[in-house]
Structures are given as C-alpha cells and as structure tokens.
Amino acid sequence: MFASFFAKRNAQKLNDERFRFLFEEVPLDEVVVFDTETTGLNPKKDEILSIGAVKVRGNTILMSEKFELFLKPQCEVGECSIKIHQIRNIDLQNALEPREAITQFLHFIGARPLVGYYLEFDVAMINKYFKPWLNIHLPNPQIELSGLYHDKKIKRIPDGVIDLRFDVMMKELGLPIFGKHDALNDAMMSAMMYVKLQNVEKL
Amino acid sequence: MSMHDLEAFIRSIYPFELLSKNELSKATRAMNIAYYKKDGILISPSKTASFLYIILKGEVGEFSEDELLKVYSKSNSFDADALIYGQSAKQFKVLEELICYELDKASFLALMDSNEAFKAYFIQDLANKIHSAKQREYTTELSGFMMALVRECYVHTPTIVEKECSIMEALREMEAKKSSCIVVRLEEGYGIVTDSVIRKHVLFNGYDKHASIGAIALFPLISIEASDYLFNALLSFTKHAIKRLVVMENGKIIGILEQLDLLSYFANHSYLAAVKIKKAGSIEELKEASGEFIHIIRKLHVKGTKVDYIAKLISELNAKVYEKLYTMILPEALASKACLVVMGSEGRKEQLLKTDQDNALIIEDGMDVDAYVPYMKRLSETLIDFGYPPCEGNIMVSNAYWCKSKRAYSQEIARWFDTPNMEDVMHLAIFFDAHAVAGNASMLSELKAEILRHVEAQTTFMAYFAMPVLAFETPIGFFANLIAKENKIDVKKGGIFPIVHGIRSLALEQGIDVSDTVGRIKKLAHLGVLESDFSGALLEALDTFLNLRLKEQLERGFGNQVNLEHLNELELELLKDSFKIVNKFKKFLTHHFKLSMVS
C-alpha cells in the first residue's frame, strides 16, 4: 500500500543528481540478473569481492553485454572465505576501488528490475556501500528466484516442502549446470532459471 | 558458463574448431543465450533468420512444408544457408524446449569472410559436407600414405666439400661420415660426386686421385625440399633416372635421400607384400605373405586412405595370392585350360579383411571336369588354412556347382533367367560381379556377354533382380533418428547391400562391364542414369558405411554391426545422412524398376 510512497521518498532523498537515471523509465521487458561473491555472510562486516551480472531481454540472455568486475577489499581476505569463492588476494590486484565499481554497476543496471537467488543478501551488500554514499537504498524492483520457483512449484504440491537449493532448482528446471561457481557464472545460470520460470505456468 | 568454458564448448563443435583463437573469442563475445518454448518457430520462409543457433539443450526440427527433414540436438548449429542466402524455404521449429546460443548474422558473416575453411564448410552441399568432414578426420590422423613428407623418411648425413678439396680427402671424409655421396660446393652452386662418377674418372680415365674434386662433379644437383611429399621424390627419381636426391631446407643441404630408403619406406606397406607373394617358393611362404595384409589395412586406415583404395589394393594382393596358389597347385596342362574367378565382394574389389571365399572355376569345353576336382578341393582347403573362411553358401571351387565347364555355365545362366527364384537371382548377382584372377580370362568375358544378352531379351527380369534392394528396412526413423538394436546397427543390411545391389542392378540393365561398385556408379553417372550430384552422394555414403564398418572390424573383430556408442557426433551425423541417401536411392530404384508392381 505504501510501496509507491516509499519509492518516492527514496527518490527524493537522492543526494547526487548524476544518479537520477536510477529512477527513470526502463525498457519494459528487460531485467538484470546478478550475483556477488563476498568475504562472508554478514553484510555489516563483510565485503563484496566481485559482482557478476547479465541483462535479460525477453527470452534472451544478453551475454554479449555481460558485466563482471572485482572490488578491492579494505582488509585482507581471510583464509576461510578464499577456500569458498577461490578469489585470492593476488586475484584482486587489478580490482577497482569499491566506489568506482559500484558506480559502474549502477550504470549497467539503470532502473531495471533486479533478479537473483537470495537476492536480499546481495542487495544488502550493495546497499552497504551505496546507502552512506548516495543517501538512498537501491531503488530497483527486486525479483526473488527462489520465490518465483516456490510459487510455481506449490501449485502442484500444495502442502509440500519445497527444496530451494540452487543446484536442486537448476536440476528440477532441467537446466544444464556448467562451469565453476563464480559471480558471473551464477548470474548466468540464475538468468536461465529466470527465463525458464517466466515460461512455465507450474512445475 | 564462463567465457573460457563457452569458448571450449564452441571450439569442440565442428566447424568452429577451424577458427583461430582470435576469431573464436570474437565470436563468443558476440553470442547470447536464448530460450524458446516448444513449437516456437525460429526460421521460416516468412521469418528471415537473424542468428546462427547453436543448441545447448533441446531439439529443433527442420521441416520442408510438413515433412520433417532433420533433427538438431545438442552441439548442432543451424542454419547457415538461411543466413547466407537471406531466406529459407525450410521451417525450423522447436521440438523440445530449447536453450541455445545465438550468434548474430553480421558476426557470423564476418567469420565466414575472415576464415576460408569455415566458409567452405558452410557453402558446400551435402555430398561435399560429408567429404570435408571425412577429409578432416583423415588429416587429423597422419597425413595419407602417399602424403608422408620427405623429412619423415630416413635421410643420410651429407659430406660437403669445397671444389679445391682433393678426391682422396673427400673420399676419406665420406668414409668417416658414412655418407653415400659427396656434395661439392662449386661457383655456380652445388655439384655431386658419387661412386659411379669416381669409378668412371679415376679408375677408367686415370684421373689423378689427388687432384681437386671440382672438375669431376656432376652439375646441376637435383634436390627436393624437406617439406615436399615423398610422392614427389618418387616421381623425381623416375623422371631423372637417378638414385639419390639432395634434401634442402631453408636453402641449406640437410641430407641425402636414397632411392633405396624411399622404396623401403613404401615397402613397409604394400610393395613388400606384393614382392613376397611373387617370390614365394612354397605354400608356407605364401601363407606368411598373405598373413601380413591385416597390418597393411590397419596402417592405411590409420593414415586415412580412402576405404575404396585400400579395398582395391587388398583385392589386388588377394588376387595375386589366388593366382600364385592356382599355379602352384594345378599342373600347367590343366591350369591354362580353365579360369579361376573370384565373385561377390572379392570380385567387386570391395573385400577388406579376409571374409568368406566366393570363387568358381570355369573349365574349357572338352576338358575332363573330374580331373580338376581333387586340385580344387586342395585349393579351397589351402585358402581356408590361409585364413579365408569357407563360404557359408558353399560358393567355392570345391563345390561341383561352381566348378564346371563353360557350356554348363551357359545352360545355368539361361535357367537363371528362365524361372528365377531368389537363390538364382543371388547366384546371378554374384556371378555378374566375378573377376578373373588366373587362367584363361576370356571365358569369363564371354559368359558375362551372354548374361547381358539375356537381360536385353527379358526386360521384365530386371524388376525381380532388383527386388532384394528393398529386403531390409533402412535403420532410420521418421524423425531422422537412427534405429538401433542394443545400440548396434547392421550397416551391411541397412546401407551397403542396398547400394551395392541397386548399383549392380542398374549396371546389369545398362550392360556396364565394370565389376566394382565405385566404377559402376561413375559409369552410371557418365551415362546419365544417375545425376552427378546423386552419384557423388552415393559414393560418399558407401564410403561412410565401409569406413565405419572397417573401423569397428579393426578394433573389435569381424561382423557388420557398428556400435553407435563408439561413434562421435560427426560420425553419427554422417551415418544418418548416409542412410537418408540410401532411402532416396531406394525410392529411385522403386521407380526405375517399377518395384511396386512386383512382389
């Protein structure tokens, strides 16, 4: 009920007019699917290491306009997280300063809706950099893949417990899993799930 | 899929593997992934193509009006024609929901412009497409038998001296280096001094052996580049009637190629076997020589020689074995009054590995047939001992039916045409393929001429003769899928037999006096009975079947079964296309011989 109001309030709070494009009209059938790799799971203290994103127009995943970059962490990357995402300190030598990276990302997404798997976390991570700087939170509409999947699955098994693990969803949707897990690759696979989910009534 | 994975995936697909690293990464950077629902139309006469589609998952059917022509699945790409010609008479429809890569038209056409081989692949027609795919298989293996390079052969160390050097000194150096000749640096270039030159000048003409060598050197020197084909070296030896060639690389002499080494290089293959057969003094020695054929076949196959050529070579060798054995076993007086013929696939020179003997003896009228019987029995037994298994249908000289006088054959031929049953038709078929290997060959030609006269006189016979072409279903389904039993397909029943017998029927009808299928197809094309495109397609299809069968046989023994699990994507594709050609040929024959009117 208050959604549009809060959106306007948010827009009003923007403190840098160069980013007004975040509130402009977008091509109707376009979304951006994205994923991040981070040093940990706590948005308060962990940092983003890389962002991967692709645009989807209709049923086409625009790989030719993909987005991938690395962010310079403010503190040394710990051993535990290196083991998970396999981004070592040395891999970040050509990484960008967070502000520069986020600026590029914003220009890539514009006002398009964002799609992702457990998107809330990724958006929270972006907001961690974004909010203090531009005084607003990321205004883009958000589409949660596991939510889309759940809603279509529940039509077939109304009382069932639905397995929402990433690989399980990929498998259930009959999509090929390829390559290693990194931000861009996961974004690409998420994009496939999104396109597929747009095209099925129920699962 | 990371860019790296994507490139690896695309590179694994023919013809994308022809692209350079640069071209490939340019192509992958331009690609998008798209999703289509079942029954979606990608290209149609009214919907021009704007992408080359490469399937990641799902299936697409190519339709002409309502007929399904082809099914594309993972790793297949389509449709280059629609992009090149800007329109398509075909419709491409999603059969199973599809995830595919899309390469836009402009990027695709740019790739074609920058890469000739890539372009060539897409603009060739089916027969050519099959051919280029096979060509590629060949070149990835060692270059062909005749295509070996000079540098692959043994090259002797050269002795190079200045023209002022004394003959004795040069000889000493040659001795030390164990060279076979001396290369002399002259003002105008290089000259050569061989043993025969020294013999002529020093021994006969009394030239001073301490004088400088330059004066007796032969000039100019015949040379060959190390990167040239051995085949050209062979030509050069014959043309100049010389025994050695100087091998050059980057303008420098790197060695001497001796004619002897070249011959022994080829001898490792077929030459030696032929000599061995010729020189064999006993049946034991002949057996040993014939035992080496399998190695030759294996080598030639690995080196990518066309199956047709291997078969011809092996048939020649087999014929030599038969001929030799015939003269060894039969007394001269009997041998010259009869004719030993090989029939069926051996007669058509399509035999590869030693399979069943199909042979017969034609004896001159007036000779005592019984006198031949014990020798023919021995001939069959010896051949069995050599590893040529006995014929299941007992079509062998040891069987009285296939060992009789010329007149008796004439009568039998007349009977075959009179009221033929299936067995008679097959007897006629194999006899029509007969090829004389020893004795008086003219009798066979006369009998074949009789056959052709019968054909002319009895036009209705041909339909009966051609009928077996339809005896076996082509193992390809309505959806252009291969129909296999436990993943195996009998390529003889499904492909080889219909082509061979269909062509034989046409050859018989047209009175073509050639006994091998390839020769017959070419003759039929020449006569205009088969369109030249179609004859090309038949040749390629036949070679595909024979090749796949040979590969299977070499790896896993005898038989006509090809296991689909052992085939790669390209081979499966070729097999499908080849069966489609077989179906087209059956249609043609049904119409040509009006087969639907007999049964």
Side-chain angles (χ1 to χ4, degrees):
Chain A
M1 180 166 28
F2 300 111
S4 90
F5 169 72
F6 287 134
K8 280 182 206 135
R9 285 282 296 155
N10 195 32
Q12 190 194 10
K13 280 191 220 150
L14 177 67
N15 63 5
D16 187 338
E17 280 308 311
R18 284 175 300 166
F19 290 88
R20 188 53 69 189
F21 64 85
L22 289 172
F23 297 94
E24 278 160 12
E25 297 256 323
V26 285
L28 259 183
D29 58 348
E30 287 192 13
V31 299
V32 167
V33 186
F34 90 107
D35 185 53
T36 60
E37 296 287 335
T38 58
T39 55
L41 295 175
N42 185 347
K44 286 216 169 67
K45 59 178 216 260
D46 287 314
E47 298 182 64
I48 296 182
L49 291 173
S50 78
I51 306 175
V54 280
K55 284 179 195 161
V56 173
R57 181 182 302 139
N59 281 341
T60 304
I61 301 163
L62 302 177
M63 287 197 320
S64 49
E65 294 175 39
K66 66 188 182 328
F67 179 91
E68 180 176 37
L69 50 73
F70 294 91
L71 278 70
K72 215 167 259 174
Q74 303 309 296
C75 24
E76 181 121 322
V77 182
E79 194 187 333
C80 294
S81 72
I82 289 177
K83 280 182 187 161
I84 294 167
H85 48 60
Q86 296 188 1
I87 300 174
R88 302 161 300 168
N89 289 302
I90 194 164
D91 296 321
L92 296 169
Q93 277 183 345
N94 296 319
L96 298 175
E97 288 300 332
R99 184 173 283 222
E100 171 59 21
I102 299 291
T103 305
Q104 287 191 20
F105 179 66
L106 294 176
H107 279 100
F108 182 77
I109 61 173
R112 293 175 186 81
L114 297 174
V115 178
Y117 175 75
Y118 287 117
L119 189 64
E120 199 181 330
F121 171 74
D122 297 295
V123 170
M125 287 304 298
I126 299 280
N127 275 334
K128 166 185 168 150
Y129 298 87
F130 186 79
K131 184 97 195 294
W133 167 33
L134 291 176
N135 198 33
I136 58 170
H137 53 81
L138 212 47
N140 308 53
Q142 294 168 25
I143 302 168
E144 173 56 45
L145 276 175
S146 58
L148 277 182
Y149 177 86
H150 180 273
D151 291 350
K152 305 220 158 164
K153 197 88 184 164
I154 206 79
K155 289 182 183 168
R156 181 144 306 168
I157 31 174
D159 298 318
V161 177
I162 294 165
D163 192 336
L164 292 176
R165 280 173 297 172
F166 189 85
D167 288 1
V168 172
M169 284 168 51
M170 284 293 283
K171 199 169 157 231
E172 286 284 302
L173 290 168
L175 297 168
I177 293 181
F178 38 55
K180 56 186 196 312
H181 281 287
D182 63 29
L184 180 61
N185 221 354
D186 283 357
M188 211 97 84
M189 286 192 273
S190 301
M192 285 211 231
M193 281 205 259
Y194 173 73
V195 170
K196 173 92 189 222
L197 285 165
Q198 293 302 106
N199 283 279
V200 286
E201 268 308 300
K202 55 183 175 187
L203 286 163
Chain B
M1 195 176 287
S2 66
M3 269 349 243
H4 185 75
D5 293 333
L6 172 59
E7 276 185 28
F9 173 73
I10 300 292
R11 202 186 313 113
S12 72
I13 303 172
Y14 193 76
F16 289 92
E17 62 175 58
L18 297 172
L19 297 177
S20 72
K21 212 171 156 32
N22 248 334
E23 290 164 335
L24 192 69
S25 70
K26 213 190 236 167
T28 48
R29 275 200 304 269
M31 282 182 194
N32 289 325
I33 297 179
Y35 171 91
Y36 294 95
K37 279 193 198 180
K38 188 170 176 333
D39 296 328
I41 307 285
L42 301 177
I43 308 170
S44 75
S46 59
K47 187 178 180 188
T48 48
S50 31
F51 302 105
L52 182 80
Y53 300 91
I54 303 162
I55 299 180
L56 191 55
K57 203 165 179 202
E59 280 183 351
V60 172
E62 178 182 343
F63 294 83
S64 172
E65 296 184 353
D66 280 338
E67 190 191 353
L68 179 60
L69 299 176
K70 188 169 181 182
V71 175
Y72 297 85
S73 54
K74 191 182 172 188
S75 302
N76 294 151
S77 64
F78 61 91
D79 177 68
D81 286 0
L83 290 174
I84 295 166
Y85 303 116
Q87 58 182 29
S88 177
K90 316 279 176 52
Q91 191 190 52
F92 290 79
K93 196 165 90 175
V94 179
L95 299 178
E96 183 195 293
E97 63 175 352
L98 178 75
I99 303 170
C100 62
Y101 290 108
E102 291 178 342
L103 178 64
D104 63 289
K105 184 172 173 173
S107 305
F108 174 70
L109 295 179
L111 284 179
M112 297 241 302
D113 266 348
S114 74
N115 190 312
E116 275 304 315
F118 186 74
K119 180 175 178 180
Y121 174 82
F122 283 110
I123 55 180
Q124 286 163 345
D125 61 18
L126 177 65
N128 290 344
K129 187 170 112 195
I130 292 178
H131 190 76
S132 89
K134 273 195 290 210
Q135 204 75 53
R136 160 185 154 272
E137 248 173 43
Y138 291 170
T139 47
T140 53
E141 299 283 351
L142 273 171
S143 45
F145 168 47
M146 287 307 232
M147 294 294 146
L149 300 183
V150 169
R151 72 162 67 85
E152 291 168 25
C153 193
Y154 181 76
V155 178
H156 295 264
T157 328
T159 294
I160 305 175
V161 299
E162 300 300 325
K163 67 179 195 304
E164 294 80 14
C165 177
S166 85
I167 295 176
M168 273 313 278
E169 221 172 291
L171 281 173
R172 256 183 234 118
E173 192 177 335
M174 172 174 152
E175 188 65 28
K177 284 190 176 164
K178 299 218 180 310
S179 307
S180 54
C181 61
I182 301 162
V183 175
V184 185
R185 200 173 282 131
L186 303 170
E187 269 141 26
E188 57 270 47
Y190 287 101
I192 192 165
V193 174
T194 63
D195 285 351
S196 65
V197 170
I198 291 176
R199 193 163 60 228
K200 185 175 155 207
H201 288 97
V202 180
L203 292 180
F204 293 162
N205 297 347
Y207 192 86
D208 182 3
K209 63 181 181 184
H210 298 291
S212 69
I213 198 167
I216 63 168
L218 292 177
F219 178 85
L221 193 76
I222 313 278
S223 65
I224 190 159
E225 284 293 318
S227 57
D228 207 340
Y229 295 117
L230 269 186
F231 182 67
N232 287 335
L234 190 64
L235 290 180
S236 201
F237 282 130
T238 333
K239 189 171 150 202
H240 301 288
I242 50 175
K243 292 206 179 72
R244 41 186 73 85
L245 280 172
V246 173
V247 182
M248 309 285 290
E249 191 163 41
N250 303 326
K252 273 197 188 141
I253 296 177
I254 60 159
I256 310 290
L257 180 68
E258 298 277 339
Q259 191 183 21
L260 202 65
D261 296 319
L262 181 70
L263 287 181
S264 71
Y265 186 88
F266 285 119
N268 283 331
H269 301 90
S270 56
Y271 176 77
L272 190 65
V275 170
K276 265 191 172 170
I277 293 169
K278 212 168 157 191
K279 284 190 180 159
S282 68
I283 289 182
E284 257 327 290
E285 281 175 36
L286 190 58
K287 181 181 176 180
E288 199 189 303
S290 82
E292 284 170 12
F293 294 179
I294 183 79
H295 301 301
I296 298 172
I297 299 173
R298 218 178 270 282
K299 249 182 203 161
L300 292 181
H301 180 68
V302 166
K303 294 198 171 188
T305 315
K306 249 186 171 251
V307 182
D308 178 34
Y309 296 132
I310 306 179
K312 280 221 170 76
L313 182 68
I314 294 301
S315 293
E316 292 299 333
L317 292 173
N318 275 333
K320 283 198 165 77
V321 171
Y322 273 71
E323 186 188 358
K324 185 87 188 183
L325 200 58
Y326 182 78
T327 55
M328 278 176 158
I329 289 177
L330 246 76
E332 167 61 24
L334 293 179
S336 60
K337 298 288 186 189
C339 176
L340 179 66
V341 300
V342 292
M343 304 183 292
S345 57
E346 186 72 57
R348 291 193 309 275
K349 303 187 182 176
E350 282 154 19
Q351 197 75 292
L352 281 168
L353 302 159
K354 292 173 182 172
T355 51
D356 307 3
Q357 315 180 21
D358 280 333
N359 45 41
L361 190 74
I362 307 166
I363 302 164
E364 267 189 38
D365 293 333
M367 292 297 288
D368 177 13
V369 173
D370 289 341
Y372 285 89
V373 170
Y375 297 112
M376 288 304 113
K377 219 177 148 217
R378 182 143 173 247
L379 186 73
S380 288
E381 279 163 6
T382 313
L383 284 172
I384 292 170
D385 179 47
F386 278 19
Y388 301 85
C391 171
E392 275 179 36
N394 202 14
I395 301 169
M396 296 193 290
V397 288
S398 54
N399 173 359
Y401 185 81
W402 293 106
C403 175
K404 57 193 174 194
S405 69
K406 182 167 167 253
R407 191 177 304 124
Y409 277 108
S410 288
Q411 286 164 2
E412 195 59 22
I413 289 169
R415 198 187 64 77
W416 286 341
F417 277 93
D418 199 18
T419 45
N421 60 30
M422 201 41 121
E423 199 186 8
D424 296 333
V425 167
M426 284 332 288
H427 282 165
L428 174 60
I430 61 166
F431 193 77
F432 182 61
D433 292 342
H435 169 71
V437 287
N440 177 4
S442 65
M443 288 190 289
L444 177 65
S445 327
E446 285 162 32
L447 288 172
K448 280 202 180 183
E450 275 180 34
I451 293 179
L452 295 180
R453 280 198 296 278
H454 280 289
V455 171
E456 269 176 37
Q458 272 167 282
T459 45
T460 50
F461 176 80
M462 281 318 302
Y464 285 102
F465 187 82
M467 199 62 203
V469 163
L470 303 180
F472 308 109
E473 289 274 318
T474 313
I476 188 157
F478 181 71
F479 294 103
N481 51 322
L482 290 168
I483 299 172
K485 230 182 235 164
E486 287 163 2
N487 265 324
K488 284 181 185 157
I489 285 185
D490 187 324
V491 289
K492 184 176 180 187
K493 284 182 183 169
I496 298 169
F497 176 76
I499 294 180
V500 166
H501 191 66
I503 290 298
R504 174 160 52 203
S505 307
L506 292 169
L508 184 58
E509 182 198 51
Q510 301 293 324
I512 291 172
D513 183 30
V514 180
S515 64
D516 68 288
T517 304
V518 171
R520 284 169 176 171
I521 292 177
K522 286 180 179 160
K523 208 78 182 260
L524 287 166
H526 190 71
L527 290 174
V529 179
L530 295 174
E531 276 174 38
S532 78
D533 269 10
F534 191 43
S535 66
L538 280 172
L539 288 172
E540 293 299 335
L542 181 63
D543 192 58
T544 303
F545 294 130
L546 293 174
N547 223 321
L548 292 179
R549 181 175 70 170
L550 176 61
K551 196 172 160 192
E552 188 86 13
Q553 286 177 342
L554 287 176
E555 279 163 23
R556 279 166 283 273
F558 301 100
N560 294 307
Q561 303 281 342
V562 166
N563 192 331
L564 299 187
E565 283 168 10
H566 300 144
L567 304 186
N568 62 33
E569 197 116 355
L570 184 67
E571 287 168 330
L572 285 173
E573 199 57 32
L574 290 178
L575 192 60
K576 276 187 203 171
D577 285 344
S578 300
F579 280 128
K580 272 186 248 165
I581 292 166
V582 168
N583 268 344
K584 208 174 159 202
F585 186 47
K586 283 180 173 178
K587 252 187 204 167
F588 169 84
L589 292 168
T590 307
H591 181 72
H592 185 93
F593 289 113
K594 309 199 169 41
L595 296 185
S596 45
M597 298 173 134
V598 254
S599 58

